[in-house]
Amino acid sequence: MRRLLLTLLVALGLPAAAQDSERPAVLVADDLFITRDRELVAQGNVEAFQGTTRIRASAIRYNDETGALVIEGPIVLNDGDGTVILADAAELDQGLQNGLLRGARMVLNQQVQMAAVQIDRVEGRYSQLYKTAVTSCKTCNDGELPLWQIRARRVVHDTEAQQLYFDDATFHIRSVPVFYLPRLRLPDPTLDRADGFLAPSIRTTSLLGTGLKLPYFITLGESRDLTLTPYLSSSTRTLEFRYRQAFTNGDIEFNGAYTRDDQLPDETRGYLFGEGSFELERGYKLSFTIEAVSDSSYFTEYGYSDDDRLRSDLTLSRARRDSFVRTSLYNFETLRPGELNSTLPTVVIDGEFERRFFPKAWGGELRFGLEAHSHWRSSDMDVIGRDVSRINGSLKYLRRFTHRSGLVTDAQVGTTFNFFDITQDDTFAQNHSDIAPFAAVGLSYPMARREAGGASQVLTPVVQLGWTDGSRLDIPNEESTRVEFDQGNILSLSRFPRPDRRERGTTAAVAVNWSRFDPNGWDTYVAVGQVFRSISDPAFTDTSGLSGVRSDVLLAGQIKNNAGLSLTARTLVDSDFEISKAELRGGWSFGKTTVEGTYVWLEADTAEDRTEAISEVSLDGSYDINKQWSASADVRYDVQNSTAATAGLGLTYNNECVSVDLSVRRRYTSSTSVEPSTDIGFNIGLRGFSASNGTERYERSCGK
């Protein structure tokens, strides 16, 4: 009996416990006996399992002489790799490698099910299913047909190649046949990457007409792949591509398109975007970005990007606890109407180094920084072809003192040294240099209060006095033409974004920060600040908020709660209570709805190349109609001119077997190279196969 029981376990493909002590095999049944013909029979709730492999049946009969297994159903065979076979009856050889299953259903990775009249197992690798219906939709016993299914005369599942091969396949929506394919191959759900077609999409635009995109995915080994997407319509012949490759120390990705169309019939159009990063020895990181396009209207017509200025760069950097080093090479290209690349600094070289020291004898922190920069214009004309190079360094000492009273004193002292080289501009001397010592002391007094309900408040008044010696060099303002006055630089000695400009003289900054944190609900933050200086700085524009000897008052705040509401606002108010800049950002998630928005106000300022005021609202939101349906909408509206810039609507349907996405977008703006246009997109994908799988998993119950 013991020998025959062990033989039965081996016949089932389940090593016996005596042979594998770490993964014991178990056979459980209501009755176990041997017939006169030396046939071992296990019947009544039979279950045999070893490790992750399991089989359940009503009865199992094993012939010791022939090695044949006769299994009575209902049968459930789970091989542990995500494949489950259900059958009414089965006749299999020893080890379940070959045999026949009748009235069978195969479920792959809980995503794709295949119902067949019979399944033939061949060599343990192949499963041949005859008169088969394949779907990833959940089927119920109510007689209702699945949303879609593929019916085939024969389906072969190759478990080693992880592929499904169909003979005489017909695709059905409900009971309606849509199209027929004599041969079809699809990857099974357990395959991560496989050659084949991805979900197609339809795009309709007022400029290019209606077109079809049919992507094809190509594996180029374990670490590389290529996706080619023909895009064909009545007005364009485009080939899109994406190439990805992973390395042991980094990765790269390139996206692009090659186009011949009716918009510019005599020209080849296209774009190329690429990026990559690599971890090098000694903590260095190398990264690159490539952005290029054939013409200024290509992105707008084809919808590949919203950028109107392109940046390509190559950067080498390393960041450690007490040091940072970076060197970068940039290339810029403008797509904006009225801008010429020849008169803009398109080639830029940047480098910076910073090191911190903590001298035990003095305490505090000693910081040394060095920055090098050069930009070049392709134009050879005087003034408008100006090229500039500079080197800026700084050495400063910082120290913080916390007094027993709670008063905090922050002190710093140091100097900067600057060198500039200006060419192709006869209105400025070529070489300039200076040394500018500086010092500052700041006082802050944080005060905390705890409320009875558990909330806490912190009120911190801050005062800083600063001084920078010397007068500004007579050099052009190349890099600090846009100044933002906000909470991040209110205590800075220089609020210019780049070191080609530095505030001079004596300054005083006052600010008050208040915050309230409530573990049960609302969190609030408010900041108020203003800057005073001994002399006005003409380099600050009127709308920067920093012109004159007294700046505008900075007001900033944030509020959020646990219910999904968040608001952030910032504005500048002058002495006449007029606003030059304002920004409001917010979001609210409640129930099935999510709404986000932004409002921006910028006063007209010719010094910032803004001939008229900007007042713009951007809103976008989404609503989950139910578990399957969701809707979205977005709009960008020019309040100043009372016109919409862009608007879009989207409708998405997702369930366990199909995903559908419909979008409509209208762009109202126009220029000399771009016309208003409307885009309509339609995508549909069948879930369950690895070529169309996403990260989401949708489940549906019968009757819902």
Side-chain angles (χ1 to χ4, degrees):
M1 172 69 75
R2 175 176 174 80
R3 184 184 66 81
L4 289 177
L5 176 59
L6 295 177
T7 304
L8 176 58
L9 292 172
V10 173
L12 290 170
L14 309 173
Q19 297 172 321
D20 190 347
S21 60
E22 295 184 359
R23 304 177 66 186
V26 179
L27 175 66
V28 179
D30 293 341
D31 296 307
L32 184 67
F33 58 90
I34 301 175
T35 66
R36 294 180 179 179
D37 299 329
R38 304 294 294 174
E39 186 178 58
L40 181 60
V41 179
Q43 66 181 17
N45 299 313
V46 181
E47 187 170 359
F49 56 89
Q50 187 269 335
T52 58
T53 304
R54 181 185 299 262
I55 185 171
R56 297 196 305 269
S58 298
I60 298 177
R61 299 177 180 273
Y62 173 67
N63 190 306
D64 188 34
E65 295 181 358
T66 63
L69 283 166
V70 177
I71 306 176
E72 299 176 6
I75 302 168
V76 179
L77 175 61
N78 191 332
D79 63 3
D81 64 355
T83 300
V84 179
I85 297 177
L86 302 95
D88 296 331
E91 297 178 6
L92 301 171
D93 67 354
Q94 181 172 311
L96 310 180
Q97 299 299 301
N98 300 278
L100 173 67
L101 295 95
R102 291 184 294 273
R105 183 186 300 269
M106 178 182 291
V107 181
L108 304 177
N109 202 32
Q110 300 182 14
Q111 297 181 58
V112 174
Q113 54 180 313
M114 300 182 288
V117 175
Q118 72 177 48
I119 299 178
D120 290 347
R121 288 178 65 89
V122 180
E123 300 177 358
R125 171 178 174 177
Y126 302 99
S127 294
Q128 298 187 77
L129 297 87
Y130 295 93
K131 296 183 179 180
T132 310
V134 180
T135 184
S136 61
C137 302
K138 187 168 185 176
T139 56
C140 304
N141 294 324
D142 55 4
E144 183 179 356
L145 293 172
L147 179 62
W148 68 266
Q149 60 179 317
I150 302 175
R151 297 180 182 177
R153 179 177 56 83
R154 186 183 70 155
V155 178
V156 177
H157 179 218
D158 187 341
T159 57
E160 184 175 314
Q162 298 171 289
Q163 297 287 327
L164 295 169
Y165 301 92
F166 296 76
D167 293 338
D168 297 327
T170 306
F171 183 81
H172 290 248
I173 297 179
R174 295 298 186 184
S175 60
V176 180
V178 178
F179 59 84
Y180 166 81
L181 291 173
R183 296 288 185 273
L184 176 65
R185 178 179 61 86
L186 292 173
D188 78 14
T190 63
L191 183 60
D192 294 329
R193 301 163 67 245
D195 294 353
F197 289 100
L198 304 180
S201 62
I202 298 174
R203 182 173 185 257
T204 299
T205 75
S206 56
L207 297 177
L208 302 175
T210 300
L212 173 67
K213 293 186 177 184
L214 186 60
Y216 189 83
F217 183 82
I218 305 171
T219 58
L220 303 174
E222 296 183 356
S223 60
R224 296 178 297 167
D225 59 57
L226 175 65
T227 303
L228 298 177
T229 306
Y231 171 32
L232 301 176
S233 77
S234 58
S235 299
T236 183
R237 283 78 60 199
T238 297
L239 179 63
E240 302 173 5
F241 65 88
R242 183 192 67 182
Y243 176 79
R244 301 183 300 179
Q245 183 169 358
F247 302 88
T248 56
N249 62 334
D251 58 80
I252 60 173
E253 179 175 335
F254 291 92
N255 292 271
Y258 175 86
T259 295
R260 301 286 291 184
D261 61 18
D262 296 341
Q263 299 298 310
L264 297 174
D266 298 328
E267 297 184 18
T268 297
R269 311 177 72 190
Y271 85 101
L272 176 66
F273 278 8
E275 61 181 4
S277 63
F278 298 89
E279 300 292 338
L280 307 181
E281 296 181 355
R282 301 176 60 187
Y284 284 96
K285 181 178 180 179
L286 177 67
S287 62
F288 71 87
T289 302
I290 298 174
E291 295 182 352
V293 68
S294 59
D295 55 86
S296 59
S297 60
Y298 186 77
F299 282 154
T300 306
E301 294 174 3
Y302 284 83
Y304 293 124
S305 174
D306 295 326
D307 295 343
D308 57 4
R309 278 183 177 170
L310 305 183
R311 188 188 78 172
S312 301
D313 69 83
L314 178 66
T315 299
L316 179 67
S317 63
R318 183 180 69 178
R320 291 183 172 179
R321 182 181 181 275
D322 297 325
S323 66
F324 175 75
V325 61
R326 177 188 63 85
T327 180
S328 301
L329 173 64
Y330 299 94
N331 182 79
F332 294 93
E333 179 183 359
T334 181
L335 307 178
R336 298 180 180 180
E339 291 186 348
L340 299 176
N341 284 296
S342 61
T343 59
L344 294 177
T346 54
V347 178
V348 178
I349 299 176
D350 236 354
E352 60 181 312
F353 170 79
E354 189 169 60
R355 181 68 186 272
R356 303 192 306 168
F357 304 91
F358 299 92
K360 295 182 179 179
W362 310 337
E365 176 186 337
L366 185 65
R367 187 176 299 180
F368 172 74
L370 190 65
E371 182 175 335
H373 171 90
S374 180
H375 59 256
W376 175 81
R377 293 174 169 89
S378 60
S379 174
D380 295 330
M381 298 181 64
D382 190 44
V383 182
I384 63 174
R386 180 174 52 235
D387 303 324
V388 177
S389 299
R390 60 174 173 82
I391 296 177
N392 307 93
S394 66
L395 179 66
K396 59 183 175 181
Y397 173 71
L398 303 95
R399 184 74 181 272
R400 166 169 286 192
F401 303 91
T402 303
H403 307 281
R404 292 185 177 180
S405 62
L407 182 68
V408 178
T409 303
D410 289 291
Q412 59 175 306
V413 61
T415 185
T416 64
F417 50 92
N418 310 280
F419 303 93
F420 294 86
D421 182 82
I422 303 171
T423 58
Q424 284 193 185
D425 191 341
D426 291 341
T427 60
F428 293 94
Q430 180 173 352
N431 297 314
H432 304 261
S433 63
D434 74 341
I435 296 177
F438 62 85
V441 59
L443 302 174
S444 61
Y445 193 75
M447 296 172 285
R449 174 187 176 186
R450 185 170 294 277
E451 301 176 8
S456 61
Q457 300 183 41
V458 178
L459 179 66
T460 308
V462 180
V463 177
Q464 179 181 272
L465 297 176
W467 166 81
T468 302
D469 191 24
S471 58
R472 179 169 300 132
L473 295 173
D474 183 22
I475 58 175
N477 186 357
E478 288 277 271
E479 304 173 62
S480 298
T481 58
R482 303 291 187 272
V483 178
E484 289 293 331
F485 181 32
D486 56 24
Q487 310 94 293
N489 61 15
I490 191 171
L491 298 179
S492 299
L493 284 178
S494 180
R495 294 159 190 86
F496 290 104
R498 301 291 283 173
D500 64 335
R501 283 288 186 275
R502 174 172 286 275
E503 294 183 52
R504 306 286 179 158
T506 303
T507 62
V510 294
V512 177
N513 298 318
W514 175 80
S515 59
R516 183 180 184 272
F517 303 97
D518 189 346
N520 300 317
W522 297 86
D523 291 342
T524 309
Y525 167 80
V526 176
V528 180
Q530 192 171 17
V531 176
F532 303 87
R533 57 175 54 86
S534 59
I535 56 175
S536 63
D537 194 327
F540 288 124
T541 63
D542 293 336
T543 58
S544 68
L546 293 166
S547 60
V549 296
R550 183 175 60 181
S551 76
D552 294 349
V553 176
L554 169 67
L555 297 175
Q558 183 182 60
I559 185 170
K560 60 181 180 180
N561 65 8
N562 295 336
L565 174 66
S566 64
L567 290 173
T568 302
R570 176 172 63 97
T571 188
L572 298 176
V573 182
D574 63 16
S575 57
D576 297 327
F577 297 99
E578 294 183 353
I579 296 175
S580 60
K581 290 184 179 181
E583 180 183 22
L584 175 65
R585 298 178 183 272
W588 191 17
S589 298
F590 55 98
K592 299 180 179 181
T593 305
T594 299
V595 179
E596 295 180 347
T598 301
Y599 172 73
V600 175
W601 159 259
L602 295 175
E603 195 176 51
D605 191 341
T606 55
E608 294 186 358
D609 299 325
R610 194 166 54 251
T611 57
E612 61 179 25
I614 294 177
S615 179
E616 188 173 277
V617 174
S618 297
L619 294 172
D620 63 85
S622 62
Y623 177 71
D624 296 330
I625 302 172
N626 53 36
K627 293 179 65 176
Q628 289 81 35
W629 288 96
S630 63
S632 63
D634 65 88
V635 62
R636 186 161 60 90
Y637 188 79
D638 187 347
V639 180
Q640 180 68 19
N641 298 313
S642 300
T643 58
T646 61
L649 294 172
L651 188 63
T652 302
Y653 177 81
N654 282 298
N655 67 7
E656 81 284 356
C657 62
V658 69
S659 63
V660 181
D661 181 37
L662 175 65
S663 62
V664 181
R665 175 163 294 278
R666 173 68 176 174
R667 180 180 50 79
Y668 298 91
T669 56
S670 62
S671 66
T672 56
S673 60
V674 177
E675 299 178 3
S677 64
T678 301
D679 294 355
I680 300 175
F682 179 72
N683 297 273
I684 184 169
L686 303 181
R687 293 185 177 274
F689 302 102
S690 64
S692 59
N693 280 347
T695 57
E696 305 91 352
R697 177 65 66 87
Y698 295 87
E699 296 182 357
R700 176 174 61 90
S701 300
C702 290
K704 295 184 180 179

